[in-house]
């Protein structure tokens, strides 16, 4: 069972487009890559041609290039952030037939559980204290 499929919402976790989210347009299984909508644009030069109606085609086009699967993470619908996933198997009985059903489960992360607190240095703390004293 593949973790990332077509039409999934994913977030880029490394590279130049880090943090961007988009829908998976295509999964290239053999190359272990995915094409994500609105991410990793490249300029492609297309040879000039003619359609049957006589209009000219070609020139420079911007298209989405594939990204390696390891550089994207599925977006958890509850948190809206990229998270790791697992698979949960259940035995379901319907009309006397037992069937194994696999569903994706989003794992909870520490960074999604509580917001990050800003750490203050000693210099910043003393500057704040000095500013309060001068007022």
């Amino acid at each position: 069972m593949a973790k990332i499929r077509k039409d999934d919402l994913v977030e880029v976790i490394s590279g130049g487009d880090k943090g961007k989210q988009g829908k998976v347009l295509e999964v290239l299984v053999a190359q272990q890559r995915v094409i994500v909508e609105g991410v990793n644009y490249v300029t492609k030069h297309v040879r000039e041609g003619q359609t049957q109606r006589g209009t000219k085609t070609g020139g420079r086009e911007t298209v989405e290039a594939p990204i390696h699967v390891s550089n994207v993470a599925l977006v958890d619908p509850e948190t809206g952030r990229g998270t790791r996933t697992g698979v949960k198997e259940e035995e379901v009985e319907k009309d006397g037939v037992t069937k194994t059903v696999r569903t994706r489960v989003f794992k909870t992360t520490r960074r999604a559980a509580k917001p990050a607190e800003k750490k203050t240095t000693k210099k910043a703390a003393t500057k704040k204290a000095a500013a309060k004293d001068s007022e």
Side-chain angles (χ1 to χ4, degrees):
M1 181 175 168
K3 289 192 176 190
I4 297 175
R5 299 187 213 128
K6 186 177 177 181
D7 294 330
D8 282 342
L9 185 65
V10 293
E11 181 178 342
V12 179
I13 57 174
S14 68
D17 293 323
K18 183 177 179 178
K20 289 187 179 178
Q21 292 184 358
K23 188 173 81 169
V24 175
L25 299 175
E26 188 177 351
V27 179
L28 307 170
V29 179
Q31 293 97 11
Q32 296 183 349
R33 293 180 177 269
V34 292
I35 297 176
V36 182
E37 184 178 37
V39 176
N40 198 22
Y41 275 114
V42 294
T43 303
K44 191 173 183 179
H45 295 269
V46 180
R47 177 180 278 178
E48 190 174 309
Q50 260 187 339
T51 62
Q52 291 180 346
R53 296 179 136 188
T55 59
K56 299 217 177 205
T57 60
R60 293 180 356 185
E61 297 177 356
T62 54
V63 293
E64 290 102 350
I67 305 173
H68 198 269
V69 175
S70 66
N71 294 334
V72 295
L74 281 167
V75 173
D76 187 2
E78 293 177 10
T79 61
R81 307 268 320 252
T83 57
R84 294 180 180 218
T85 59
V87 178
K88 187 169 102 176
E89 292 185 359
E90 295 181 63
E91 296 279 330
V92 177
E93 188 172 332
K94 185 175 180 183
D95 298 331
V97 179
T98 305
K99 188 176 182 181
T100 303
V101 179
R102 293 184 187 104
T103 56
R104 281 194 289 197
V105 177
F106 293 98
K107 297 179 181 178
T108 57
T109 60
R110 285 180 276 155
R111 66 180 180 153
K114 53 186 172 184
E117 297 176 10
K118 289 187 177 180
K119 293 183 179 178
T120 57
T121 60
K122 288 183 180 179
K123 287 183 180 180
T126 55
K127 284 183 183 180
K128 283 183 182 179
K132 283 184 181 179
D133 291 337
S134 65
E135 290 180 359

